[in-house]
Each structure stands twice: as structure tokens, then as C-alpha cells.
Amino acid sequence: MSEEITNEKRKTVLSAVQPSGNLTIGNYFGSLSRFSEFSEMFDCYYCVADLHSITVRQVPAELRRHTYEVYALYIACGLEPDKNVLFVQSHVHEHAELGWILDCYTMFGELSRMTQFKDKSAKHADNVNAGLFTYPALMAADILLYQADYVPVGADQKQHVEIARDIATRFNGTYSQTFTIPEPYIPKESRGAKIMSLQDPTKKMSKSDKNENASIYILDSKDDIIRKFKRAVTDSDTTVRVGEGKDGINNLITIYSCVTGKSAEEIEREFDGRGYGEFKLAVGEAVADKLSPVKEKFNLLMADKSELTALMRDGAARASRTASRTLSKVKRKIGFVEA
Ligand code: TYM
């Protein structure tokens, strides 16, 4: 457990993953693989953010499949359903409701500055919908409904957690103390805060990348994993060392470090005098071995959809108990008449 997080009183952790594609090792190292470390000491809520995912057009059957898959991967990555509240966002109506309310406490200018909005609206120029723009207010609702203290995410979500803090502070200032101000909890860069694409290591690895060789998916076969690492774009140097202009190798060193726990210096020593080919193979094998038990557990879970559905239902009921308390408080403060 990190010393940045203390446990004076029982604190709350919330995070979420969108079911918008096959999850990558970026998702794994940046978020999923870290979630189970919080279970014993904190009240933990992890949601499958399906409401967020429709800001980009999804194929209905794929959205349904990915929703089950992300839910099963939470468990396969070590989250026990009785020690964590695991739920699907659209099953807990308070998210959409508080999302709307927070839209009214979020400024146009703030939303315009979000880099993810700029990136995604450039990428999906034919579908720059209002949801894509107000996405961070819904994400703030996810976090604030549970009075989360910590939000474990990769570096790309930092700006969204910061706007959630600003929205919470604004609401608390307008009325009175209502929301806990959340803190992003981001791993160090060398520990997976931002895993880069294998084909363009200046870009983050993304589950929505069209080029399948750019990403290692958690559910890829060992052969695919090794093949993709072999093809990873590197540079014309031959020494395995961290350096400027060596984005590809830097990324592979980070990935190897995430899997083995070794520092960059140790890795440089381990591969001293050995070429890129040997290093890429070692990274591929280490990643495949790490993911193999996750995949095994995942397959068992996916074989029993009715059990997953029952767990989703139970998780939603537990999430809703907390979320409804916060939402009632918010409505009272605003001046809504109680039903
Ligand atoms: P999403 O679904 O894009 O990604 C899920 C998590 O994976 C992290 N991540 C990465 N980390 C390291 N390297 C990468 N290449 C990489 N790609 C993704 C993300 O930072 C994230 O932690 N908006 C969120 C989902 C969300 C959420 C929330 C998160 C909705 N509501 C409330 C926290 C709290 C998203 O799109 O994540």
C-alpha cells in the first residue's frame, strides 16, 4: 500500500472503466491491476461506465458483451464481489440524475478545456454530441455520489478528476459541505501511469485504436502478445536503455518494469549486451505469463452469465444505497421539493 494513502478513518475509493472496446494492458497497469490493493482498507466502488461509453457510437451487441467482460475482468483481476461494490453505471439511476444536476454547476469554458473532449471530437468529427462535451460532469457524479476520497486512474484521467474537485468545491461553496473533495491516485510514470501504443509510442495505448498491433489486449493469446511485442516500433539504436528519442524502448522498459517490479536500471543491466529482439521476447513472455491466470479466471466467469447478472444486480443495489443518500442530500440543498 502506498504511503501517500493513509487510513485514519475508513476512506472511500471509486473508479470506473468504459466498456468501449477490448481492455488493453494500459487499462490493466494504469488501473485494474491496482484496484484490489485497496479492498481491505477502504470502502471500494468500481463501476462499468456504460453511460459514458455511448458518447461514442457503440454496436449494441458489442456494448453488451464488453459490459459483461469488464465486469468479469474486475473479478478476474482480484476484486472479490463481497469486499468491493462492483456495479454497472446504468443500473444505478442516481448517476444520470446527479450528472444532469452537475451539468448545471459546470461551466462551458471549463468543459471546453478538456483535452479528451478535444481529442475525441477531432477523432469522431461526425458525432460531436452534447454527451461528449458534458462527459466530465457525469464522471464527477460517479465520484461524488460515493463521497470518494481517492480515484485510482491512469494519467489521462487526471484532468477529469480535477474538474470533479472543482465542481464539488463550487457546489459546497454555493450551499454547504455536501461532497468530499476527491483526489486522483495515479501510479508513477515508471509504474504504468501511461502505457504507450506499440505502433506509435508517442500516443497512449487505447482500446479504441483501430490498429490491433498497437495494443496488447488483456485477453490476447500468448502467441499474439509475443508477435505484437516483436513488431513493436523501436529505434535504430541497439542498446536497451532509457533515453530521449527512444519512446518505443522506454515504453517497453516501463511495461517490463510493471510486470517484474524491476527498476529501469536493473532492466538495463539485465539486458546489457543483448539486443532489442531478445528484450522484446522477454517482455512478451513476461506479459503473457502475468495475464495468463487473469484470462483463466475470466473464462470461468464468462461461462456463467447468470451468475454475473446476479452479481451485477447485487452490486447495483448496494451502490444505490450510498448513491441515493448523496442524491437526496443534494436535492434538499438545491431546494427541490421532496416527493
Ligand atoms: P477508460 O475506460 O478510458 O480507461 C480505464 C482506466 O484505464 C486507464 N488507462 C490507462 N492507463 C495507463 N496507460 C494507458 N494507455 C491507459 N489507457 C487507459 C484510464 O486512465 C482509466 O483509469 N473516464 C474514464 C472512465 C470513468 C471513470 C469514472 C474513471 C468514468 N467515470 C469515475 C474514474 C472515476 C475512462 O474513460 O477510462
Side-chain angles (χ1 to χ4, degrees), residues 64-330:
R64 218 167 286 138
R65 176 168 62 83
H66 287 139
T67 301
Y68 275 105
E69 286 182 356
V70 174
Y71 196 89
L73 276 172
Y74 277 155
I75 303 173
C77 288
L79 294 177
E80 293 173 40
D82 53 342
K83 289 194 183 153
N84 301 272
V85 182
L86 308 179
F87 64 102
V88 176
Q89 191 184 27
S90 67
H91 294 176
V92 182
H93 66 81
E94 286 84 358
H95 288 249
E97 216 175 316
L98 184 62
W100 165 255
I101 292 173
L102 296 184
D103 278 345
C104 304
Y105 296 81
T106 308
M107 300 302 137
F108 183 89
E110 288 177 299
L111 292 172
S112 310
R113 286 192 289 277
M114 295 292 114
T115 51
Q116 186 170 297
F117 171 69
K118 290 186 213 164
D119 291 350
K120 286 206 174 167
S121 49
K123 218 160 132 193
H124 304 279
D126 56 336
N127 184 21
V128 185
N129 60 72
L132 196 60
F133 189 62
T134 60
Y135 177 116
L138 179 60
M139 181 159 156
D142 301 340
I143 298 167
L144 303 181
L145 275 174
Y146 301 92
Q147 308 289 354
D149 298 278
Y150 303 115
V151 184
V153 281
D156 63 320
Q157 294 299 319
K158 183 164 185 255
Q159 201 182 26
H160 287 160
V161 182
E162 279 166 357
I163 195 175
R165 289 169 62 87
D166 293 342
I167 296 168
T169 305
R170 181 173 302 130
F171 194 97
N172 289 350
T174 306
Y175 302 100
S176 56
Q177 177 58 35
T178 308
F179 296 124
T180 301
I181 308 297
E183 271 179 48
Y185 182 57
I186 298 170
K188 290 196 188 109
E189 222 168 90
S190 58
R191 283 286 180 263
K194 196 170 183 192
I195 302 293
M196 310 308 273
S197 154
L198 297 190
Q199 290 300 313
D200 177 359
T202 61
K203 261 181 29 193
K204 118 182 148 157
M205 186 181 285
S206 162
K207 53 173 130 65
S208 57
D209 200 317
K210 294 261 183 305
N211 180 353
E212 296 216 333
N213 289 323
S215 306
I216 303 288
Y217 303 109
I218 300 178
L219 300 174
D220 270 346
S221 68
K222 182 166 185 167
D223 286 351
D224 280 344
I225 293 175
I226 290 175
R227 181 181 49 78
K228 289 185 192 180
F229 275 114
K230 272 190 189 157
R231 286 199 194 162
V233 169
T234 46
D235 51 70
S236 54
D237 192 7
T238 50
T239 318
V240 176
R241 61 178 171 85
V242 177
E244 232 173 273
K246 291 169 66 73
D247 298 318
I249 283 294
N250 294 345
N251 190 37
L252 297 185
I253 290 177
T254 299
I255 294 171
Y256 195 63
S257 169
C258 287
V259 180
T260 60
K262 293 176 185 168
S263 68
E265 295 73 37
E266 286 172 304
I267 296 169
E268 286 173 353
R269 265 198 307 269
E270 183 179 344
F271 290 93
D272 189 23
R274 297 157 75 186
Y276 282 179
E278 223 180 301
F279 178 52
K280 285 177 174 180
L281 183 64
V283 180
E285 280 181 340
V287 169
D289 290 347
K290 177 91 185 167
L291 295 178
S292 158
V294 174
K295 257 185 303 196
E296 228 169 89
K297 185 141 190 225
F298 169 86
N299 288 332
L300 286 176
L301 289 158
M302 286 298 281
D304 190 353
K305 285 263 180 62
S306 60
E307 171 65 9
L308 284 178
T309 309
L311 289 171
M312 284 176 175
R313 232 177 254 141
D314 178 61
R318 286 158 67 205
S320 185
R321 275 200 285 281
T322 309
S324 62
R325 265 200 306 275
T326 304
L327 186 62
S328 299
K329 189 160 134 189
V330 167

